[in-house]
């Protein structure tokens, strides 16, 4: 099982065809390795934009790609896809997070009308895998590539990043530092119908406490010091798409704000709780 780590750069372009902005891919970069992570090759190509006519100043500064270079040496998106398909073969495709693979799917659908990327057979979210291996998985905060490298102790130059091939190489270093073949296989999925349903599922923040999906038995807090259930002092209100209420520990009398976030995901309802704004104990009612 060969592995291809793919990274993309894109430019936000307004499309008159679909009447909204499209993250138009301007560069493919990838590194290919075998199952033992021995390097087999690299892939790098600029993609000539067909939707936008000019790179945004931010993207040009970030990637150091000029409009002249892009339009003079870039190839068409479908041609780039065909070249990448030949390079990739039946390899597992990895991306850091799902942004790149979703952008590839959006671009592929824009140009071909197909909802499924034909050369995508197996997929792994490298970010999710590394978070698990490093023990830093947090649904509320995803681990960035540079942060992962720093956590592992890999030196990287910010000025050299934000080019597709460079980012793909750094992703490979992170994979090598965390690689366990048996664990890695558990994070590889077939790009079947269920995969597409899951990866395109739009998470929804629940903000109506009377929503039937809300499990009201979960609307409580345990004092983090006394480890007993706190008394609820106020009704829950919605603030910044979270449910918040005031609580008091019946033992230590500490008053705090409890914040509960409920998000509907593909796999079901995700509930996160946090205690905020702890105050000194209240001695009298």
């Amino acid at each position: 099982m060969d592995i291809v780590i793919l990274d993309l750069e894109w430019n936000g372009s307004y499309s008159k065809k679909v009447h909204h902005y499209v993250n138009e891919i301007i560069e493919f970069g990838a590194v290919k390795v075998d199952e033992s992570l021995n390097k087999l090759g690299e892939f790098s190509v600029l993609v000539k934009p067909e939707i936008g006519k000019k790179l945004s100043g931010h993207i040009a500064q970030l990637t150091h790609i000029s409009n002249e270079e892009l339009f003079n040496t870039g190839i068409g998106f479908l041609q780039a896809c065909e070249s990448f398909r030949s390079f990739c073969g039946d390899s597992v495709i990895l991306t850091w997070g799902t942004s790149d693979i979703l952008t590839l799917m959006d671009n592929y659908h824009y140009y071909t009308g197909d909802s499924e990327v034909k050369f995508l057979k197996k997929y792994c979210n490298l970010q999710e895998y590394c978070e698990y291996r490093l023990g830093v998985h947090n649904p509320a905060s995803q681990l960035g590539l540079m942060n992962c490298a720093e956590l592992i102790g890999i030196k990287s130059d910010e000025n050299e990043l934000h080019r597709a091939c460079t980012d793909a190489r750094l992703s490979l270093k992170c994979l090598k530092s965390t690689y366990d073949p048996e664990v890695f296989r558990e994070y590889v999925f077939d790009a079947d119908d269920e995969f597409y349903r899951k990866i395109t599922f739009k998470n929804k923040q629940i903000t109506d406490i009377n929503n039937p999906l809300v499990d009201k038995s979960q609307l409580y807090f345990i004092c983090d010091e006394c480890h007993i259930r706190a008394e609820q002092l106020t009704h829950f209100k919605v603030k910044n798409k979270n449910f918040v209420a005031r609580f008091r520990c019946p033992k230590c009398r500490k008053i705090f704000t409890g914040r509960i976030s409920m998000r509907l995901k593909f796999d079901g309802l995700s509930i996160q709780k946090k205690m905020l704004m702890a105050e000194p104990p209240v001695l009298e009612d």
Side-chain angles (χ1 to χ4, degrees), residues 61-76:
Q61 183 178 15
L62 192 68
T63 63
H64 305 292
I65 299 174
S66 68
N67 283 286
E68 292 74 20
E69 180 184 13
L70 191 61
F71 283 92
N72 291 336
T73 65
I75 62 176

Side-chain angles (χ1 to χ4, degrees), residues 217-268:
S217 68
Q218 296 297 315
L219 300 177
Y220 70 90
F221 279 85
I222 301 296
C223 177
D224 55 358
E225 294 181 5
C226 304
H227 307 292
I228 60 176
R229 184 163 176 159
E231 302 169 339
Q232 185 174 336
L233 301 178
T234 64
H235 294 296
F236 275 100
K237 295 182 178 180
V238 176
K239 184 177 181 181
N240 297 327
K241 297 184 178 181
N242 298 303
F243 300 122
V244 295
R246 299 284 277 175
F247 289 83
R248 177 175 58 198
C249 175
K251 184 177 181 180
C252 69
R253 314 299 283 173
K254 178 176 68 177
I255 294 178
F256 61 89
T257 296
R259 185 181 71 188
I260 300 178
S261 172
M262 294 192 180
R263 185 181 291 268
L264 182 61
K265 298 184 177 182
F266 180 82
D267 298 323

Side-chain angles (χ1 to χ4, degrees), residues 133-252:
R133 291 287 290 150
L134 295 171
V136 295
H137 177 66
N138 181 358
S141 178
Q142 294 182 328
L143 182 66
L145 178 57
M146 276 201 68
N147 290 336
C148 180
E150 290 176 3
L151 191 61
I152 294 171
I154 299 171
K155 294 183 179 179
S156 59
D157 187 345
E158 172 71 25
N159 294 324
E160 295 179 357
L161 296 178
H162 309 300
R163 286 300 299 262
C165 231
T166 304
D167 288 356
R169 293 188 199 111
L170 182 58
S171 296
L172 175 58
K173 290 180 181 179
C174 292
L175 175 61
K176 285 183 174 180
S177 296
T178 58
Y179 192 55
D180 181 319
E182 293 186 6
V183 177
F184 175 76
R185 291 189 193 99
E186 297 177 6
Y187 283 80
V188 175
F189 300 95
D190 292 328
D192 53 15
D193 290 342
E194 183 178 1
F195 163 80
Y196 279 97
R197 286 196 298 270
K198 182 175 182 178
I199 201 168
T200 58
F201 184 85
K202 303 295 185 183
N203 293 342
K204 181 181 178 181
Q205 193 82 19
I206 296 178
T207 57
D208 180 4
I209 203 163
N210 294 314
N211 189 309
L213 291 172
V214 173
D215 183 357
K216 294 188 177 181
S217 68
Q218 296 297 315
L219 300 177
Y220 70 90
F221 279 85
I222 301 296
C223 177
D224 55 358
E225 294 181 5
C226 304
H227 307 292
I228 60 176
R229 184 163 176 159
E231 302 169 339
Q232 185 174 336
L233 301 178
T234 64
H235 294 296
F236 275 100
K237 295 182 178 180
V238 176
K239 184 177 181 181
N240 297 327
K241 297 184 178 181
N242 298 303
F243 300 122
V244 295
R246 299 284 277 175
F247 289 83
R248 177 175 58 198
C249 175
K251 184 177 181 180
C252 69

Side-chain angles (χ1 to χ4, degrees), residues 74-85:
I75 62 176
F77 173 78
L78 293 179
Q79 184 181 352
C81 283
E82 181 59 27
S83 297
F84 180 70
R85 184 199 63 78

